[in-house]
Amino acid sequence: MNRYGKDILVDTKMGKILLESEVIKNEDYEWLKDMLENDENHSIKYSQLNELDESKKTFMTSSLFSNLYSIASDEWEIDHLNEDGEKLECSLCGEKNTVKKYYIRNKKSNKILNVGSTCITNFKDIKGINGKTKEEIDKEWEKQQRQKLLNDRYNGIIYKIENWQNNIDKIPTIVSEELENEYDKLNRDIQKLYEKFIKNKKLDYSIADKINELVCQGDNILNKIYLDMKEKEKNEWFITKEIKEWCLKDSNENQVVIRFLKEDGIIRLRSACRIYEKNFINKIIKKFEIILKNSNIKLIGYEEKNKSFIVNLIDKNPYTNRIDLNCSYKDFMYEFGEKLFEKTYNNNFIDAKEFFMQNSNINEESSLSASVSNIKFLSSKSLIRIYKWDIRYNEIVFLGKDDKYYIVELKKFVNLFKKCVFSKKLDNDQIKSINEYVLKNAEEINKEEYENRIEMREKADRAMQVDYSNFA
Ligand SMILES: [Zn+2]
C-alpha cells in the first residue's frame, strides 16, 4: 500500500497506455509487459512488488517508472475529435457510453485508439497533429459544433457572416458612405452576437434567430446598394469599376478622393481633379474637345509623366501657334472643370490666355525653340540681342553692344518671359526687364572663350560618333 492507503501502483488506464505503446516492447521491460498482460485489469498492486527482485522493485517505486510512463504517453497525439452521437467504449477505462471521442494516434506505430473525455486527461501535455493543445482542440471543436447548429437552423448563414465584407468589395463601383455605413454597422452587431452564440456555455437559439434577422436586413441593404448602382450607372459621372480599382490600387495616396466619392456617390469636380485613371482622362479630353470647339484653346493631349494637359493657344501669330504649353491636369480642372460638371456653364474663355501665362510651362523642345525664336524677333533692336541658342545645352547666348556673350538658362528664361513670348510687340519696359535679367543672371564670356567652348563640344561630339561607328 502507498502512504495514502491505496494499493494500486499502476491502474488499468496506465497499464493499457503502457501496453499499447512501443517503448514497452524493449526487452528490458519484458517482465513489466508480462506482469501487465497477465493481470486481467492490466494493473499492478503495491502488494505485488514483493514478488519482484530488489532492482525491479526500485525501478517501480522510483522516478525511473514515471519516466517510462512519460515516454509511453508522449508517443500519443490527438488525431481528431468526434461527437457524432454514436456511443463507443473507451479503450482505456472501458466506459461504454463515451459520446465525445478523442481519437489518439501512436506516432510510432500509427495505431489509433478512441478514448473518452476523462481518460484523455491521462495524457499530460498531449497535443493535436498540428501542435494544438488539447484545450485549443476542444475550443475549436465546440466552435464547430455551435457553427453547425447555427447553419443547420439557417442554411448558409455561416458563409454569409464570414464573407460579409466581400460583398462590398465585389460591387463594381464605390458604394456611397451612407449605405456602406449601414451595412458595416449590421456586420459589427452580427459579429458580436455570433461570438456570443459560439462562446456562451448555454446554447441560446434566440441569439441565432436575432443573427438571422440581422443577416436578412443585410441582404436588403445589399439589394438597395445594387439598385442604387443601377440608377447611378445612367449618370455620365458614374464611378466605374476601373476608377474604383484605380483608387484602391493606391488607397493611401487616394484617401481624399475615395472619401469624396463615398460622400458624393458619383464623380463631382472635387474628385475629378484628383482622378488620373486612363479611361477617365480620355473621357475628360473628349468632353473638352467639344466644349473648346469655338474657343481659342486647343487641348492636344495628356502627358502621364507629369500629369499635365498639353494645350495650344490658337492665335493668328504664326510663331506662337507652334508653341505648346503644359498645364497640370489639376490646375486645368480647377479652372475649367466647372464647365463639365455644371449644367449652366457658358462658353466664355476670355481669360484663358492669362490663366495659361500663370499656370503653365513650355517644356517641349520645338516649342522652346519657337519661343526663343519669337523673342529674338521681337527684341532684335534691343541693346542685348539673342545671338544663338542650343536646346541640348539648355542655353541662350545673348550678344551685347560690348561684343561680350551673355549665356542664360534657356528653359528658365523662356518660362519667366512667357508673356513676352506670346506678345505681338515688346514695349520698352519688357525689353528693359529682359536686359536687366540677362545682365544680372548671365554667365559673361568673351568671344574667344565662347568659341573654344564650342570647339570642345564639337570635338566631344565627334568622339561620340567614332565610338558609335566602332560598335557598328
Ligand atoms: Zn475512459
Side-chain angles (χ1 to χ4, degrees):
M1 289 226 241
N2 71 358
R3 59 194 169 105
Y4 303 110
K6 269 175 88 180
D7 195 22
I8 299 290
L9 172 61
V10 179
D11 66 12
T12 305
K13 293 176 208 166
M14 290 169 87
K16 280 198 177 167
I17 293 169
L18 283 165
L19 283 173
E20 297 288 359
S21 66
E22 291 296 293
V23 66
I24 200 84
K25 289 180 183 160
N26 189 313
E27 58 182 41
D28 290 348
Y29 306 122
E30 213 173 329
W31 58 274
L32 180 57
K33 193 170 168 242
D34 287 346
M35 256 181 112
L36 291 167
E37 268 170 357
N38 292 335
D39 185 88
E40 60 170 333
N41 291 321
H42 308 302
S43 64
I44 297 172
K45 297 186 178 72
Y46 277 100
S47 47
Q48 282 175 275
L49 293 182
N50 297 330
E51 299 157 20
L52 299 171
D53 62 35
E54 248 347 276
S55 68
K56 287 171 186 159
K57 212 186 211 168
T58 314
F59 178 86
M60 287 309 288
T61 51
S62 68
S63 63
L64 291 169
F65 175 71
S66 357
N67 285 343
L68 176 71
Y69 183 69
S70 277
I71 292 168
S73 54
D74 279 350
E75 286 179 17
W76 299 88
E77 65 182 7
I78 298 173
D79 191 81
H80 63 283
L81 184 53
N82 200 342
E83 199 174 357
D84 52 11
E86 194 194 341
K87 288 173 181 171
L88 271 186
E89 183 180 322
C90 170
S91 307
L92 296 182
C93 68
E95 159 71 51
K96 291 201 168 51
N97 290 324
T98 52
V99 182
K100 192 172 179 184
K101 291 153 290 187
Y102 291 86
Y103 288 84
I104 59 170
R105 194 173 62 87
N106 188 295
K107 287 181 265 186
K108 293 192 160 144
S109 64
N110 273 327
K111 180 168 185 160
I112 289 196
L113 295 177
N114 66 284
V115 302
S117 53
T118 313
C119 285
I120 192 75
T121 55
N122 279 294
F123 299 84
K124 196 166 57 86
D125 301 333
I126 192 163
K127 288 206 158 96
I129 16 179
N130 33 22
K132 285 182 182 140
T133 65
K134 181 185 162 289
E135 284 68 30
E136 284 168 337
I137 292 170
D138 284 346
K139 238 183 219 160
E140 226 163 75
W141 175 253
E142 274 155 29
K143 185 179 171 188
Q144 279 172 24
Q145 293 309 102
R146 284 283 164 93
Q147 280 178 327
K148 204 169 157 287
L149 290 173
L150 182 61
N151 218 43
D152 286 348
R153 196 174 176 92
Y154 297 109
N155 193 22
I157 199 165
I158 298 291
Y159 181 83
K160 278 190 182 172
I161 292 173
E162 292 186 346
N163 289 280
W164 198 264
Q165 185 51 43
N166 285 356
N167 289 328
I168 294 283
D169 295 344
K170 270 191 300 199
I171 292 168
T173 187
I174 290 180
V175 175
S176 75
E177 198 177 34
E178 200 191 333
L179 288 169
E180 193 178 347
N181 284 348
E182 222 179 303
Y183 196 68
D184 284 349
K185 184 182 177 306
L186 269 181
N187 188 27
R188 285 194 299 276
D189 293 346
I190 288 170
Q191 295 301 337
K192 266 185 226 152
L193 288 171
Y194 181 50
E195 201 173 309
K196 214 167 158 188
F197 181 75
I198 284 176
K199 288 190 175 162
N200 269 9
K201 272 223 157 72
K202 204 177 137 241
L203 178 61
D204 184 352
Y205 276 119
S206 76
I207 299 176
D209 297 345
K210 183 73 191 160
I211 292 173
N212 183 56
E213 199 188 308
L214 296 183
V215 168
C216 291
Q217 281 178 30
D219 286 344
N220 285 339
I221 296 174
L222 211 53
N223 207 20
K224 234 162 74 185
I225 290 173
Y226 272 102
L227 289 175
D228 182 58
M229 182 183 78
K230 285 279 160 245
E231 193 53 42
K232 281 173 181 157
E233 262 173 355
K234 297 173 197 158
N235 189 304
E236 62 175 329
W237 300 116
F238 172 66
I239 306 159
T240 62
K241 187 167 164 253
E242 289 77 20
I243 291 174
K244 177 183 181 177
E245 282 164 3
W246 178 86
C247 287
L248 296 179
K249 212 168 70 191
D250 203 346
S251 56
N252 254 344
E253 175 83 6
N254 297 325
Q255 250 177 32
V256 175
V257 65
I258 293 172
R259 184 162 55 83
F260 286 164
L261 291 173
K262 279 186 176 179
E263 277 175 22
D264 297 340
I266 53 165
I267 300 165
R268 293 197 192 283
L269 181 57
R270 60 178 186 163
S271 44
C273 296
R274 295 173 162 86
I275 298 173
Y276 300 99
E277 193 270 329
K278 224 170 70 194
N279 294 322
F280 181 70
I281 296 270
N282 284 338
K283 184 175 177 173
I284 295 280
I285 291 176
K286 286 220 173 76
K287 296 252 171 205
F288 268 118
E289 273 169 0
I290 297 166
I291 290 177
L292 297 171
K293 212 163 195 169
N294 296 315
S295 76
N296 52 359
I297 305 165
K298 194 175 177 203
L299 190 52
I300 313 264
Y302 176 71
E303 214 172 83
E304 212 177 323
K305 188 178 63 186
N306 38 31
K307 293 179 177 162
S308 62
F309 274 151
I310 304 161
V311 173
N312 190 279
L313 299 179
I314 309 162
D315 54 20
K316 296 201 171 88
N317 185 333
Y319 291 102
T320 50
N321 258 351
R322 286 150 50 202
I323 301 169
D324 290 340
L325 293 159
N326 276 63
C327 173
S328 94
Y329 168 74
K330 205 176 221 170
D331 290 344
F332 187 97
M333 287 296 280
Y334 273 131
E335 183 69 14
F336 305 109
E338 269 180 22
K339 297 184 196 299
L340 292 185
F341 288 88
E342 285 180 24
K343 296 242 150 63
T344 53
Y345 68 82
N346 55 41
N347 271 326
N348 203 340
F349 288 92
I350 288 172
D351 295 332
K353 187 173 171 183
E354 187 53 36
F355 167 78
F356 287 113
M357 289 304 107
Q358 309 231 359
N359 296 285
S360 67
N361 277 307
I362 303 169
N363 284 336
E364 178 267 330
E365 287 189 2
S366 73
S367 298
L368 285 167
S369 204
S371 303
V372 183
S373 169
N374 202 29
I375 289 204
K376 181 184 167 158
F377 169 73
L378 294 172
S379 63
S380 57
K381 295 205 170 80
S382 162
L383 283 174
I384 302 175
R385 294 176 293 112
I386 293 178
Y387 168 54
K388 58 199 282 186
W389 66 93
D390 193 325
I391 299 282
R392 203 156 53 111
Y393 289 93
N394 190 28
E395 66 183 25
I396 305 177
V397 183
F398 286 83
L399 179 62
K401 283 277 186 228
D402 51 5
D403 263 357
K404 277 199 170 142
Y405 291 139
Y406 297 86
I407 303 174
V408 299
E409 279 177 49
L410 185 147
K411 237 183 198 175
K412 201 169 164 187
F413 177 85
V414 165
N415 282 296
L416 215 56
F417 292 97
K418 205 157 37 204
K419 248 184 175 163
C420 297
V421 171
F422 283 90
S423 300
K424 288 199 175 76
K425 194 172 174 261
L426 297 185
D427 60 34
N428 287 337
D429 284 348
Q430 283 172 314
I431 293 201
K432 201 175 147 209
S433 69
I434 289 176
N435 285 348
E436 272 171 13
Y437 175 83
V438 172
L439 287 173
K440 197 171 167 213
N441 295 283
E443 180 194 4
E444 206 183 308
I445 193 171
N446 66 36
K447 203 172 176 175
E448 205 185 332
E449 281 175 303
Y450 180 71
E451 272 158 12
N452 279 339
R453 189 179 290 181
I454 296 299
E455 206 174 298
M456 295 289 279
R457 281 180 188 169
E458 280 169 356
K459 242 189 210 166
D461 284 349
R462 276 198 299 276
M464 289 286 279
Q465 277 162 8
V466 170
D467 277 347
Y468 284 131
S469 68
N470 278 346
F471 282 115

